Amino acid sequence: MSFKKKENQKYYNPMMKAIGNYHLIEPGEKVAVGMSGGKDSTALFVMLDMLSKQKRLGFDFEVVPICLDMGFAMDITPMKELVEEKGYTLDVVDTNIAKVVFDIREEKNPCSLCAKLRRGYLYSRAKELGCQKVAIGHHLDDAIETYFMNFLFHGKMESFEPMTYLSKTEVSIIRPMIYIEEKDIIRFCNNKELPVIFNPCPVDKKTKREEMKQLVDSLASDYPLIKQRFIQGMEQEVRENEWYLSKKS
């Protein structure tokens, strides 16, 4: 396996920059990758696998792929085959999340509860497997959308951080693709012909986040540098709870 120049520029260099700037991965760590079958988590797994096998970070670390069975009728065979092709075994965690959210609770706005339950299962399983970090597939567009959601609905001018330590489970959540745009992740998956599994959730593409995605796309069409300016703004040491390069976990 080798890195092509364009792949370095678009994917691996930004990922390695994020990992270095925020100390997302340290030597010898076991890093769980939360895999849903979607483009983001699939691309994240493949990129981290390449960095690990090529030792591009200058040290060894271990990748541990984990998938939650949400209780939907979802064929994860393509995901399993990809993981096995790379030399791993996909750890599948059985859950009843779909039943709890849609049948028992009958949530009208199910995303919050669903996300909370998913995080609980994923982080606990990662801890059981001896992982110090849990990598999730949030990218630059997700960070900007979260910023606008917090601003418009909660009056907070903040987004999630590249790394968050969870004292309850004693693992850290990391977002190695924080500098990578969604359009580049789509291109990566297409170029690599990676399997992307259809999301069976009944409210997929019908959420407030989808509205924020459309807002950001609209702004980007008028202000092409908005995403780069977002990174610059969040990395300045101006406010607490925002990104800055000297921040440690």
Side-chain angles (χ1 to χ4, degrees):
M1 294 184 294
S2 61
F3 292 83
K4 297 179 181 179
K5 184 176 180 180
K6 287 186 177 180
E7 289 184 352
N8 271 327
Q9 293 174 341
K10 286 289 186 181
Y11 317 119
Y12 296 106
N13 286 349
M15 179 174 279
M16 289 189 292
K17 179 182 177 182
I19 291 172
N21 281 350
Y22 301 106
H23 311 285
L24 301 186
I25 302 176
E26 301 289 353
E29 286 187 326
K30 294 181 69 173
V31 180
V33 180
M35 300 189 66
S36 66
K39 67 182 188 320
D40 301 330
S41 61
T42 299
L44 174 64
F45 165 71
V46 172
M47 291 182 197
L48 286 178
D49 170 62
M50 285 286 283
L51 289 182
S52 173
K53 289 176 179 174
Q54 293 287 315
K55 297 186 178 181
R56 286 294 295 269
L57 298 181
F59 54 77
D60 292 321
F61 69 96
E62 184 178 346
V63 176
V64 181
I66 302 176
C67 172
L68 302 182
D69 183 343
M70 302 278 290
F72 293 117
M74 181 176 175
D75 181 11
I76 64 171
T77 301
M79 192 193 329
K80 283 185 175 180
E81 291 177 346
L82 172 67
V83 168
E84 291 171 359
E85 177 188 311
K86 299 294 183 182
Y88 304 87
T89 299
L90 182 64
D91 188 86
V92 181
V93 181
D94 293 326
T95 79
N96 62 345
I97 293 176
K99 181 177 181 179
V100 170
V101 173
F102 293 103
D103 297 335
I104 298 175
R105 295 282 294 270
E106 298 181 344
E107 292 283 325
K108 294 182 179 179
N109 299 298
C111 296
S112 178
L113 176 60
C114 181
K116 181 178 181 180
L117 294 174
R118 284 188 285 114
R119 288 193 298 265
Y121 276 107
L122 177 60
Y123 303 161
S124 295
R125 183 56 179 161
K127 177 67 174 178
E128 290 174 0
L129 295 176
C131 299
Q132 293 80 30
K133 304 284 176 63
V134 178
I136 54 180
H138 287 156
H139 45 67
L140 178 55
D141 293 69
D142 288 325
I144 300 175
E145 291 157 18
T146 298
Y147 182 89
F148 278 107
M149 286 184 70
N150 282 331
F151 173 60
L152 294 174
F153 299 115
H154 305 292
K156 297 180 180 179
M157 301 181 72
E158 62 184 30
S159 183
F160 49 66
E161 297 182 359
M163 179 162 65
T164 305
Y165 178 71
L166 306 174
S167 58
K168 186 175 180 179
T169 54
E170 298 182 323
V171 298
S172 293
I173 308 311
I174 62 173
R175 299 173 171 91
M177 298 197 301
I178 203 71
Y179 289 155
I180 304 177
E181 294 186 38
E182 183 176 29
K183 66 180 181 180
D184 291 325
I185 293 174
I186 294 173
R187 187 178 295 114
F188 180 86
C189 290
N190 290 338
N191 291 343
K192 297 291 184 182
E193 298 183 340
L194 299 179
V196 176
I197 301 174
F198 170 74
N199 186 351
C201 177
V203 297
D204 185 43
K205 307 300 183 185
K206 302 175 184 177
T207 63
K208 290 297 181 183
R209 180 167 290 277
E210 187 65 24
E211 294 179 14
M212 295 303 103
K213 182 183 295 292
Q214 294 172 10
L215 172 61
V216 173
D217 287 344
S218 176
L219 288 171
S221 66
D222 294 327
Y223 306 97
L225 295 179
I226 185 174
K227 295 177 184 179
Q228 288 72 23
R229 295 292 180 259
F230 177 81
I231 292 176
Q232 292 172 2
M234 296 300 275
E235 287 187 339
Q236 292 176 2
E237 296 181 290
V238 232
R239 302 184 187 94
E240 293 182 357
N241 299 322
E242 293 186 350
W243 305 356
Y244 53 92
L245 292 174
S246 63
K247 190 162 189 175
K248 300 293 182 68
S249 61

